[in-house]
Amino acid sequence: MTTTANTERPEKSEREFHPRILVVEDEAIVACHFQQRLTRMGYTVTGLAYDSEQAVQKASETNPELILMDINLGHGLNGIETAMLIRKQQDLPIIYITANSDTDTVRRAARSGPFGYILKPFEDRELETAIHLGVAKHKMELRLKESERRFNATLTSVADGLIATDPDGRIEFFNDSAEIITGWTHADVLGRKLSDVFLLKDDGTHGPSTNVFSPFLPGVLPGDSRTVLLARRDGTTIPIEYRAAHIHDERQYSKGVVISFSDITGRRHAEEKIHTAQQQLTEAHQHLQHKHEELQSFYHTVSHEVKTPLTSAREFVSLVMEGLAGPVTDTQKEYLSIAQESCDQMHTCINDMLDVTRLETGKMNIEFRTSSLADLTRRIVTRQMSAAERKGVHLNCTIKPGVGDILMDETRIAQVIGNLLNNALKFTSEGGLVSVVVEPLATLADHVRITVSDTGCGIHKKHLARIFDRLYQVRDGDASSRMGLGLGLYICHELVRLHNGSICVESVIGQGSTFYVTLPVSPKKSFLPMGHANELVAHLAA
Ligand code: ADP
């Protein structure tokens, strides 16, 4: 049977407690003896070094995982000095072996950061234990270094400036952002007093900030952020926001202070800009408001001034038409009736403008009185009957049972119904049908509904959401849609709102439109919830 020596290095876990060892011992016989003992104990000895020079060389050439180092190496550097030299180049656990246990040797060895210390003569078990502990300690040290490195890298790269001090307020840590914000370099400030570098001024008075080092004072809440001015190294001043906290040890003793801070110059500029913009906006708003009021008062005056001569012009046209100023031919009558219609149109426009001014200045007076909605509706429909007949449009009115008197401003509700009816007749062609229905509202107690529907041209759904807006007109219809000012439905909406009611519309292009006005029987008591109009449409559609 042939056995082959396994030259491959075993997996780390298998040889966890069997590191490859370099022995440094000036006495060759003792070194040899160590080698034999270690081999017997299952360790691999990478080499024997008899002095400091050989130790440094073999440590780098033979790739050991641990060094057993005799402190007394005869001539040249001693074991402690050699260990320190090797540790500068290689991170290896080094265990000292010595026959001396005097205090001075122990102290010197301790200062060099050893991973173990064995006194000659020693048992195999003692050696094994020292090796195991040395390896474990080294692993812990590596892990600690790694976590320290990660921690440092994180703190160094954070966007906020970070400064940490020792208990005397001397700077121990100064990250990259702190360098950029303060203008000081890490190398310049390490070991210097924080108060020499981190010079703060009060944000308001620009005097020295009194509570800057308050983290050193008792009773200050940690994490409290403050805004101050920081004097940079070059003498310029920038606004910063900072937080400070004590670094406590496990017994809650302060081991220093950590300060995090950020340059808020950009934020300040943005805030100033926003502030200026807000001021400008307020001024512009006031200016516009003023202009708006001026315009409204101008409208009001002009409308009144125009209304009086317009009324007398219409009156005189009527007089002439009726023959009171002498005989009138048919052609003259036809022309005069066109003039009369134009006067009526202008009258409607002026009244709409006056109403809008009243609505927007809160001067629209609503005088509530209990009256019959049914009678009012019938009167309005009757008044329009001849106009409908002239156009060849069927007009009918239905008052359903249960519609009683309601509390309303009759003139204003008449205006709403009249406006809707006018529009319906305007947009319905010959042979079409316009109906007005008044009924108690089934879905909401103490409410009535007026429905004005037509079989006219309809309104495209893209306009429906804005149809009640002030000055909104549908531009894609025929010329009749351009005759008004786009105020009629807006006024209807506002008047209905002043009655605590709601108005909405459904329309299908080419098939007609239906306007629904919902009014409470007693507007002062009831309140139609927002969105009810939409519910109503949904209900009706269903
Ligand atoms: P105006 O005061 O100019 O008559 P309105 O506010 O009464 O305007 O109406 C706004 C727009 O709504 C009008 O331009 C018209 O095109 C459209 N509209 C209103 N009622 C109807 C209707 N019954 N059928 C079709 N379009 C209508």
Side-chain angles (χ1 to χ4, degrees):
M1 196 171 88
T2 344
T3 44
T4 330
N6 188 359
T7 48
E8 274 177 33
R9 289 178 62 180
E11 284 302 309
K12 191 89 183 160
S13 59
E14 287 172 39
R15 50 186 192 86
E16 202 152 25
F17 295 107
H18 291 90
R20 291 151 45 80
I21 299 174
L22 170 69
V23 175
V24 186
E25 166 63 61
D26 62 332
E27 284 179 45
I29 296 173
V30 179
C32 227
H33 176 64
F34 269 165
Q35 186 177 23
Q36 283 166 2
R37 273 179 87 174
L38 286 166
T39 312
R40 197 183 62 241
M41 286 162 71
Y43 294 100
T44 306
V45 175
T46 66
L48 300 176
Y50 305 110
D51 59 24
S52 172
E53 212 173 301
Q54 278 185 14
V56 174
Q57 195 189 344
K58 290 205 170 165
S60 83
E61 284 173 6
T62 65
N63 201 19
E65 289 164 309
L66 183 136
I67 299 177
L68 284 178
M69 174 80 74
D70 186 10
I71 289 185
N72 192 355
L73 289 182
H75 66 277
L77 298 181
N78 65 28
I80 296 172
E81 289 157 344
T82 309
M84 283 159 81
L85 205 63
I86 292 172
R87 297 260 298 149
K88 268 187 197 156
Q89 291 154 16
Q90 283 166 277
D91 195 0
L92 286 174
I94 298 177
I95 296 171
Y96 293 124
I97 301 170
T98 181
N100 299 332
S101 62
D102 61 286
T103 331
D104 184 47
T105 311
V106 173
R107 199 177 297 140
R108 273 188 303 128
R111 235 179 283 135
S112 72
F115 291 84
Y117 191 92
I118 311 190
L119 274 180
K120 292 185 204 167
F122 49 80
E123 298 289 321
D124 282 0
R125 272 188 55 198
E126 285 173 73
L127 180 62
E128 185 139 44
T129 309
I131 291 172
H132 287 179
L133 286 177
V135 169
K137 192 177 166 201
H138 182 244
K139 270 189 192 156
M140 270 168 59
E141 196 186 82
L142 284 182
R143 255 186 249 133
L144 200 69
K145 274 187 191 161
E146 170 63 13
S147 97
E148 226 169 69
R149 200 186 53 74
R150 277 169 182 273
F151 191 60
N152 253 314
T154 312
L155 293 183
T156 302
S157 61
V158 291
D160 275 2
L162 283 177
I163 303 177
T165 73
D166 66 9
D168 298 328
R170 290 190 186 280
I171 296 173
E172 278 185 332
F173 180 83
F174 202 80
N175 75 348
D176 291 356
S177 302
E179 288 191 346
I180 296 166
I181 299 171
T182 63
W184 290 90
T185 66
H186 174 262
D188 288 334
V189 299
L190 279 193
R192 288 187 66 167
K193 277 274 191 195
L194 176 68
S195 48
D196 293 343
V197 174
F198 203 58
L199 300 173
L200 304 184
K201 293 179 181 172
D202 191 278
D203 196 17
T205 64
H206 285 227
S209 182
T210 46
N211 61 354
V212 170
F213 298 106
S214 53
F216 294 101
L217 300 174
V220 171
L221 285 177
D224 241 9
S225 84
R226 299 189 185 95
T227 306
V228 284
L229 297 176
L230 170 77
R232 300 182 77 244
R233 189 181 192 177
D234 61 8
T236 53
T237 309
I238 52 163
I240 61 158
E241 190 173 78
Y242 83 97
R243 283 186 162 79
H246 285 281
I247 304 165
H248 288 118
D249 66 7
E250 62 278 10
R251 282 176 299 162
Q252 294 305 306
Y253 288 130
S254 176
K255 287 288 169 194
V257 168
V258 62
I259 295 174
S260 72
F261 55 104
S262 53
D263 180 355
I264 55 166
T265 311
R267 196 173 86 191
R268 270 288 157 90
H269 284 324
E271 279 169 1
E272 275 161 21
K273 272 191 192 156
I274 290 172
H275 184 68
T276 317
Q278 267 170 347
Q279 268 180 340
Q280 284 170 348
L281 259 176
T282 311
E283 279 165 27
H285 177 74
Q286 282 167 350
H287 182 71
L288 269 176
Q289 185 93 18
H290 183 66
K291 288 273 163 218
H292 185 64
E293 279 160 19
E294 266 181 8
L295 259 178
Q296 272 178 339
S297 122
F298 175 73
Y299 272 153
H300 203 256
T301 318
V302 169
S303 307
H304 269 295
E305 291 302 312
V306 174
K307 214 172 151 181
T308 319
L310 189 67
T311 312
S312 71
R314 193 194 187 284
E315 284 307 307
F316 281 112
V317 169
S318 294
L319 285 178
V320 176
M321 262 180 86
E322 283 162 27
L324 295 174
V328 191
T329 65
D330 283 349
T331 318
Q332 285 169 337
K333 261 194 188 162
E334 196 190 325
Y335 290 168
L336 286 170
S337 93
I338 294 171
Q340 217 176 27
E341 261 177 42
S342 299
C343 284
D344 289 344
Q345 253 175 39
M346 272 174 77
H347 201 261
T348 310
C349 285
I350 290 166
N351 277 343
D352 280 358
M353 278 162 63
L354 280 169
D355 279 347
V356 169
T357 316
R358 282 188 202 109
L359 281 165
E360 296 198 341
T361 50
K363 287 182 186 150
M364 174 65 79
N365 232 356
I366 301 289
E367 288 175 14
F368 287 101
R369 275 201 194 94
T370 305
S371 29
S372 162
L373 181 63
D375 289 351
L376 178 73
T377 313
R378 269 193 217 102
R379 278 202 307 273
I380 299 162
V381 173
T382 309
R383 223 183 288 148
Q384 298 278 10
M385 211 49 107
S386 51
E389 271 164 22
R390 271 200 306 276
K391 247 197 124 177
V393 173
H394 304 284
L395 170 61
N396 60 38
C397 174
T398 313
I399 311 290
K400 293 205 178 160
V403 178
D405 290 354
I406 72 165
L407 198 59
M408 62 176 167
D409 183 324
E410 235 189 4
T411 320
R412 295 304 175 187
I413 295 302
Q415 193 177 342
V416 172
I417 302 172
N419 211 331
L420 295 178
L421 198 49
N422 261 333
N423 280 346
L425 289 170
K426 191 156 68 172
F427 295 103
T428 306
S429 359
E430 195 177 351
L433 171 69
V434 171
S435 1
V436 182
V437 178
V438 183
E439 61 197 327
L441 189 61
T443 52
L444 200 61
D446 296 328
H447 281 76
V448 285
R449 188 179 65 191
I450 307 155
T451 308
V452 180
S453 56
D454 63 61
T455 56
C457 60
I459 306 162
H460 195 282
K461 64 172 185 268
K462 71 180 176 197
H463 299 296
L464 290 181
R466 298 196 55 200
I467 203 87
F468 297 104
D469 286 0
R470 192 178 60 164
L471 298 173
Y472 192 81
Q473 278 189 306
V474 176
R475 292 277 169 204
D476 43 31
D478 60 13
S480 46
S481 64
R482 269 168 259 135
M483 265 156 54
L485 293 175
L487 294 175
L489 288 181
Y490 168 72
I491 294 170
C492 288
H493 182 271
E494 292 304 291
L495 291 176
V496 170
R497 193 178 57 81
L498 289 172
H499 281 76
N500 270 355
S502 71
I503 182 167
C504 60
V505 59
E506 278 181 322
S507 190
V508 178
I509 208 87
Q511 289 184 21
S513 313
T514 306
F515 286 81
Y516 301 99
V517 174
T518 303
L519 292 174
V521 170
S522 178
K524 285 176 188 166
K525 273 191 255 159
S526 62
F527 170 70
L528 188 68
M530 287 273 282
H532 180 75
N534 294 337
E535 273 169 35
L536 191 64
V537 171
H539 168 77
L540 291 164

